[in-house]
Amino acid sequence: MAPPKHIAIVGGGTAGWMTANLLRHRWARLGVDVTLIESADIGTIGVGEGSTPFLRHFFRTLGIEERDWMPACDATFKSSIRFPGWSTVAGYESYVHPFFSEADRELGNLFFTNACLRRRGQAADANPRDFFLAAELARQRRAPLGTDYAYHFDAGKLGAFLRTHAVGLGVRHIVDTVARVELRENGDIAAVHMKSGARVDADLFVDCSGFKGLLITETLGEPFLSYRDNLFNDRAIAIPTPLVDGEDIPCETVSTALRHGWAWQIPLTTRYGNGYVYSSDFVSDDEAERELREQVGAAAEGATARRLRMRVGCVKQHWRQNCVAIGLAQGFIEPLEATALMLIQLSVEQFIAAMEGGEFERRQQDAFNRRVSEMFEGVRDYVVAHYQLNTRRDTDYWRANRANKNISDRLASLLDVWDRGGDFEAELERHGAKLMYLRPSWYCLFAGMGRFPAELRAAPQAVTAAVARQSLANMARAFRSHHRCLMGE
Ligand SMILES: Cc1cc2nc3c(=O)[nH]c(=O)nc-3n(C[C@H](O)[C@H](O)[C@H](O)COP(=O)(O)OP(=O)(O)OC[C@H]3O[C@@H](n4cnc5c(N)ncnc54)[C@H](O)[C@@H]3O)c2cc1C
């Protein structure tokens, strides 16, 4: 395989523009040309408002400062995700998945100790919201600057910002619709033909065309591995609402369990993004919209709802022939942990590393495909674990999720070791990087859902939640108000 001199990206959603920026930034000095084609007739998905901390590395790589992109995208800081209503265990009805930082070392270790005590039947406090700084910053609405934070943003505005930046780097931008794909005899893509009659050829094509996978699936016929057996949700409804007058802007995502899925609430500087992710096997679209409107309350009155379908799973090979799929075209895991942009970024970074390290051999392509599939499976398992651990009894949806036996051997083994009071640390280590999520995230999820024995004995040495909370409250007071920080005060 020869190194690419000209790369054509089909699709101008977040995936297309993130990819264009990263490839052009990295390879412009090698004389690699990048063209991005997007259709004026086919819109972008227009949702995707939360990130993981990886997005900070993305902007840092490109040398873009927060003060330049955040105001342009109505962005806010994100310290954590809160999950009300997933568990019914007393004291664990709402837990927090924090982003971790150095400041968590001491109380974090006490949390791990307490979680282990409780797992083995001792009455130690072990709800992560009482032990991690990010949870306290969210409670006090303080900007998590100085910790490992993430962002919320307007997806459309982020796309527009990245477009301007990419064009500034020299990416050629074509607005036209691909009508036909021309193949070479060896099965590679030779060129794409536009509705306007133009033809664009390239050495390498990146499929960022969204759920349909115009190049990777529709043209090359790469099989799609559905996660439907693992993750039931296949629909979403989104409703924006205004901010509450006089309220300080929060710095957390709230993901509340509803009757047939969960609802997100994401704060931006100009509005809230709200949405409901649910399964069409359990509820109709109309009923789901009613449920979401009820959850959002008066603010949703008169607001237009957008209904979306989700294809959950990923292609078997993310790089096939001379085509790499990135973004929704490569796959999607429902947005519970807001991982899609992270997977886009990591996939492109892996691709760059494979290209640069591999003298463009087939071996590198296989290694890339293995690693990207592992990343998807790792994220999938972490998301599936939320459903396995839920304790709701109110609907068939939650009962079926809990009873679902279609989980990976790896997740089954993690659950088993945790429940037996076995060596959870060793089990996490055994799976290593394939887990995608690190030790604190797994502890926070299992403990946060209250996955502990019902019968508990006293644990005299355990640090109580009250003591931990007091210590957090003192630490958090040193941080600036999130609202004032966003307003530049
Ligand atoms: C309900 C929901 C919530 C989500 N929440 C999050 C979140 O919180 N965090 C997160 O990271 N991600 C989230 N995502 C995922 C995120 O929205 C996407 O991963 C991201 O926007 C990238 O989308 P994309 O660019 O792959 O596809 P799209 O936005 O669908 O873009 C596809 C592009 O392809 C172009 N195109 C298609 N066909 C043609 C053609 N024939 N010719 C030319 N151009 C063509 C279109 O014009 C468009 O520009 C969410 C997704 C959903 C469904």
Side-chain angles (χ1 to χ4, degrees):
M1 200 182 309
K5 280 282 156 218
H6 181 205
I7 301 173
I9 299 170
V10 176
T14 322
W17 289 115
M18 283 178 78
T19 306
N21 273 290
L22 288 172
L23 293 182
R24 180 70 189 166
H25 172 81
R26 183 77 188 181
W27 287 339
R29 67 193 157 82
L30 303 178
V32 177
D33 289 326
V34 178
T35 300
L36 186 145
I37 303 155
E38 70 173 315
S39 167
D41 306 330
I42 306 165
T44 61
I45 189 100
V47 283
E49 300 180 329
S51 85
T52 71
F54 275 87
L55 199 63
R56 287 168 56 213
H57 304 298
F58 170 79
F59 284 112
R60 213 175 290 149
T61 301
L62 296 176
I64 299 172
E65 301 285 343
E66 284 175 349
R67 63 170 177 272
D68 294 326
W69 80 268
M70 285 186 71
C73 302
D74 304 343
T76 64
F77 294 107
K78 172 178 175 183
S79 66
S80 47
I81 310 177
R82 186 152 55 86
F83 295 87
W86 288 72
S87 168
T88 54
V89 177
Y92 292 81
E93 296 88 347
S94 173
Y95 88 96
V96 170
H97 183 189
F99 299 129
F100 310 99
S101 61
E102 229 1 75
D104 289 317
R105 189 171 289 277
E106 201 185 323
L107 285 177
N109 281 333
L110 292 172
F111 163 74
F112 297 135
T113 305
N114 278 14
C116 283
L117 287 171
R118 199 170 175 110
R119 208 156 58 80
R120 292 173 177 154
Q122 301 199 42
D125 290 335
N127 191 324
R129 67 163 185 228
D130 299 323
F131 291 86
F132 289 94
L133 180 60
E136 185 61 28
L137 293 176
R139 268 193 296 270
Q140 293 192 21
R141 301 196 178 187
R142 303 217 181 229
L145 293 169
T147 71
D148 198 14
Y149 57 87
Y151 306 105
H152 306 114
F153 43 81
D154 180 296
K157 290 183 178 175
L158 180 64
F161 181 90
L162 293 176
R163 178 176 63 221
T164 305
H165 194 264
V167 170
L169 291 177
V171 171
R172 196 168 143 231
H173 182 202
I174 298 176
V175 181
D176 208 338
T177 302
V178 174
R180 183 168 74 81
V181 182
E182 178 189 330
L183 295 180
R184 294 201 189 106
E185 260 180 20
N186 69 357
D188 277 355
I189 297 174
V192 287
H193 293 257
M194 311 295 170
K195 221 164 101 180
S196 66
R199 174 183 185 274
V200 176
D201 59 11
D203 311 313
L204 180 88
F205 288 82
V206 187
D207 187 352
C208 294
S209 63
F211 279 132
K212 67 172 172 277
L214 178 66
L215 305 181
I216 196 85
T217 304
E218 288 188 0
T219 306
L220 298 178
E222 181 60 28
F224 185 81
L225 310 175
S226 170
Y227 291 164
R228 208 47 216 284
D229 286 349
N230 315 100
L231 289 167
F232 301 159
N233 294 341
D234 59 348
R235 301 284 165 94
I237 296 182
I239 302 181
T241 55
L243 291 175
V244 179
D245 269 351
E247 184 196 43
D248 277 1
I249 299 171
C251 55
E252 64 175 352
T253 300
V254 182
S255 297
T256 308
L258 300 186
R259 285 170 56 74
H260 306 100
W262 58 275
W264 77 79
Q265 188 193 45
I266 288 183
L268 308 185
T269 55
T270 47
R271 62 170 170 84
Y272 278 108
N274 310 279
Y276 188 13
V277 175
Y278 59 95
S279 166
S280 62
D281 286 344
F282 292 86
V283 65
S284 69
D285 296 337
D286 288 343
E287 195 185 333
E289 184 173 331
R290 264 197 302 280
E291 212 187 324
L292 176 62
R293 287 187 182 278
E294 204 174 292
Q295 163 73 11
V296 175
E301 270 169 35
T304 311
R306 281 191 59 214
R307 295 183 178 186
L308 301 150
R309 285 169 185 248
M310 307 187 298
R311 180 183 73 153
V312 176
C314 67
V315 287
K316 196 162 169 219
Q317 297 182 89
H318 301 252
W319 177 1
R320 173 170 172 159
Q321 301 287 141
N322 64 338
C323 172
V324 189
I326 301 288
L328 298 175
Q330 76 183 126
F332 180 57
I333 295 160
E334 64 141 280
L336 186 61
E337 287 282 343
T339 43
L341 299 197
M342 175 181 86
L343 288 169
I344 290 169
Q345 184 184 342
L346 292 176
S347 298
V348 177
E349 285 171 0
Q350 291 283 334
F351 177 71
I352 289 172
M355 275 295 197
E356 290 182 352
E359 289 154 1
F360 311 100
E361 289 170 4
R362 169 81 210 183
R363 198 162 47 85
Q364 294 299 322
Q365 191 167 352
D366 293 343
F368 169 87
N369 282 327
R370 259 197 316 278
R371 181 61 195 138
V372 177
S373 293
E374 273 172 17
M375 291 182 337
F376 269 77
E377 285 164 16
V379 171
R380 178 201 62 196
D381 282 356
Y382 190 70
V383 171
V384 169
H386 294 68
Y387 293 95
Q388 287 282 309
L389 294 165
N390 97 80
T391 60
R392 289 175 71 110
R393 305 204 167 272
D394 55 335
T395 57
D396 286 347
Y397 171 87
W398 290 107
R399 284 189 290 267
N401 264 300
R402 190 163 55 248
N404 186 11
K405 296 283 175 263
N406 291 314
I407 61 173
S408 70
D409 292 346
R410 182 168 58 208
L411 179 56
S413 163
L414 282 165
L415 283 161
D416 175 57
V417 172
W418 177 275
D419 289 345
R420 276 194 289 109
D423 191 342
F424 197 60
E425 304 285 329
E427 185 62 16
L428 290 172
E429 251 171 54
R430 191 163 77 82
H431 302 294
K434 287 188 182 167
L435 286 177
M436 287 301 282
Y437 280 85
L438 300 174
R439 171 180 180 243
S441 293
W442 285 100
Y443 266 92
C444 283
L445 177 54
F446 278 64
M449 290 279 202
R451 181 84 166 197
F452 296 118
E455 299 291 318
L456 298 168
R457 317 179 288 283
Q461 299 106 340
V463 170
T464 63
V467 169
R469 284 279 281 270
Q470 188 53 53
S471 172
L472 286 181
N474 294 341
M475 280 158 79
R477 274 195 278 278
F479 288 73
R480 290 170 64 201
S481 142
H482 181 234
H483 191 87
R484 287 209 200 122
C485 183
L486 293 172
M487 299 304 142
E489 290 168 22

